[in-house]
């Protein structure tokens, strides 16, 4: 595996790559990332994984400081899984000056996680634009755990007319259903036992919705259940899958999304469902 530390190095090496897949990450890799890499291998001759803890998508300096980093372990994982190139630039290389994004984010960017983490998605799209323009991938792979991020990047590719095939990949879960996340490594042993309740609560909310059909009531009841379990809830919301807008009666393909803190660790999760299924 070739490890590249700056943009100049990558420009020269990418010239003769045929079909190129990019898996953008912030490192501290887990089985969710490995699943993205495995999918990428089915579509491309060369796989490039980027590891860059993007400071401008963090709202709190503590969150940025505490974000788990494990580059040596990550390199071993990438080698083991046959990744061709690791792009691991420094902050100075990516942002030599204050970044500027000439793209107006859609209204969705200021809802859900965007309303709780102002500027977060602007930071995400800024780094994504840089990576896409530099690497010019044919295929890109993102996990469904970050459902809103996935929607916004998909929209960005469409708006900017990038010739990139976008792949959204299913969330990988632990045996007890906890969605894999780099942040899980920050959980204490005690918290780790409680946090699968985020997924369980979302799942039960879907069952309740199919019985009672009042979205607002179901969202509020799920929020209350999480609060009673000790979570500080950012939101639990039911949206439609196609654009993450609030559903109308005729919408059948929905997704329930939740974001909450357990002992200061912010976790998110979501479950797609169809109101027609029993
Ligand atoms: O999902 C992530 O890890 C990050 O938001 C991404 C897409 C790599 C951008 O920094």
């Amino acid at each position: 595996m070739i490890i590249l530390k700056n943009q100049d190095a990558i420009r020269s090496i990418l010239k003769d790559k045929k079909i190129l897949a990019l898996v953008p990450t912030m490192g501290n890799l887990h089985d969710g990332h490995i699943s993205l890499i495995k999918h990428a291998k089915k579509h491309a001759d060369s796989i490039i994984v980027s590891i860059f803890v993007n400071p401008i998508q963090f709202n709190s300096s503590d969150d940025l400081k505490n974000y788990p980093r494990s580059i040596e372990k990550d390199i071993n994982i990438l080698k083991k899984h046959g990744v061709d190139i690791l792009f691991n630039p420094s902050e100075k290389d990516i942002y030599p000056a204050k970044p500027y994004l000439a793209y107006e984010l859609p209204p969705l960017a200021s809802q859900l996680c965007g309303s709780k983490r102002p500027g977060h998605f602007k930071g995400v799209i800024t780094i994504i634009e840089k990576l896409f323009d530099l690497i010019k991938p044919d295929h890109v792979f993102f996990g469904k755990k970050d459902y809103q991020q996935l929607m916004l990047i998909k929209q960005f590719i469409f708006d900017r007319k990038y010739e990139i095939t976008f792949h959204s990949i299913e969330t990988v879960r632990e045996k007890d259903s906890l969605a894999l996340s780099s942040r899980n490594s920050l959980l204490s042993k005690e918290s780790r036992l409680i946090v699968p309740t985020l997924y369980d609560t979302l799942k039960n909310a879907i069952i309740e919705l199919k019985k009672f059909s009042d979205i607002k009531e179901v969202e509020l009841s799920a929020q209350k259940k999480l609060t009673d379990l000790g979570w500080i809830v950012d939101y639990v919301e039911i949206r439609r899958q196609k654009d993450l807008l609030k559903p109308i009666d005729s919408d059948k393909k929905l997704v329930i999304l939740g974001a909450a803190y357990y002992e200061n660790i912010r976790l998110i999760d979501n479950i797609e469902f169809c109101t027609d299924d029993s």
Side-chain angles (χ1 to χ4, degrees):
M1 183 175 73
I2 304 171
I3 302 179
L4 301 173
K5 289 279 188 190
N6 60 59
Q7 302 188 54
D8 289 340
I10 214 153
R11 277 188 198 104
S12 54
I13 214 144
L14 289 179
K15 261 188 263 148
D16 27 79
K17 297 290 171 218
K18 284 186 222 130
I19 302 177
L20 188 63
L22 168 67
V23 179
T25 81
M26 298 208 297
N28 197 31
L29 304 176
H30 50 65
D31 284 354
H33 298 111
I34 294 167
S35 164
L36 302 181
I37 293 166
K38 284 186 175 159
H39 279 89
K41 281 188 155 179
K42 293 185 201 149
H43 295 271
D45 304 313
S46 296
I47 316 287
I48 173 161
V49 171
S50 62
I51 296 185
F52 178 64
V53 181
N54 178 32
I56 65 165
Q57 72 184 73
F58 286 81
N59 315 74
S60 118
S61 48
D62 273 353
D63 191 22
L64 173 59
K65 195 175 82 206
N66 296 331
Y67 195 82
R69 291 159 172 89
S70 53
I71 190 69
E72 293 310 323
K73 191 173 134 245
D74 292 351
I75 290 173
N76 288 334
I77 291 176
L78 296 177
K79 280 185 183 161
K80 186 171 155 209
H81 290 277
V83 167
D84 301 280
I85 303 169
L86 163 63
F87 180 47
N88 178 216
S90 67
E91 189 182 332
K92 231 170 148 192
D93 186 63
I94 292 291
Y95 300 126
K98 196 170 187 292
Y100 171 74
L101 179 68
Y103 171 73
E104 193 179 339
L105 288 147
L108 175 63
S110 40
Q111 299 177 24
L112 302 167
C113 284
S115 77
K116 302 293 172 185
R117 306 182 67 194
H120 168 66
F121 288 119
K122 188 174 178 201
V124 170
I125 298 296
T126 303
I127 186 63
I128 288 299
E129 180 187 49
K130 283 192 180 290
L131 293 172
F132 285 4
D133 289 347
L134 176 73
I135 295 166
K136 300 190 175 35
D138 302 291
H139 296 267
V140 289
F141 296 79
F142 292 89
K144 280 193 186 177
K145 184 182 70 71
D146 297 286
Y147 209 90
Q148 190 179 6
Q149 164 174 286
L150 189 131
M151 285 299 204
L152 289 164
I153 297 174
K154 216 186 314 186
Q155 183 69 44
F156 177 63
I157 291 176
F158 177 80
D159 290 344
R160 280 291 180 82
K161 303 186 173 54
Y162 281 109
E163 284 181 8
I164 295 177
T165 308
F166 183 92
H167 301 258
S168 49
I169 306 299
E170 291 304 323
T171 302
V172 179
R173 298 181 180 280
E174 300 279 9
K175 281 202 182 71
D176 60 6
S177 296
L178 175 67
L180 295 194
S181 160
S182 300
R183 283 196 162 86
N184 291 354
S185 63
L186 300 171
L187 294 162
S188 68
K189 268 197 186 136
E190 295 72 29
S191 300
R192 175 63 189 83
L193 293 174
I194 304 290
V195 291
T197 52
L198 178 58
Y199 175 83
D200 297 342
T201 307
L202 298 181
K203 206 168 148 212
N204 286 331
I206 297 172
I207 297 169
E208 273 183 41
L209 183 73
K210 286 181 179 173
K211 275 196 260 165
F212 307 117
S213 88
D214 185 285
I215 288 186
K216 195 75 230 160
E217 224 172 273
V218 168
E219 288 170 347
L220 288 173
S221 142
Q223 283 173 33
K224 186 174 177 317
K225 277 184 197 144
L226 287 169
T227 308
D228 291 347
L229 286 161
W231 290 84
I232 307 219
V233 181
D234 266 356
Y235 63 81
V236 174
E237 289 211 29
I238 293 166
R239 298 282 179 117
R240 51 194 208 185
Q241 286 176 27
K242 62 177 174 191
D243 52 13
L244 276 189
L245 295 182
K246 288 193 189 285
I248 53 171
D249 283 349
S250 56
D251 290 318
K252 303 285 176 233
K253 288 184 164 189
L254 306 182
V255 54
I256 183 163
L257 306 111
Y261 290 82
Y262 198 81
E263 291 188 342
N264 281 331
I265 311 297
R266 187 175 192 273
L267 298 182
I268 60 175
D269 205 350
N270 64 77
I271 310 174
E272 292 177 317
F273 64 101
C274 184
T275 48
D276 284 345
D277 299 344
S278 48

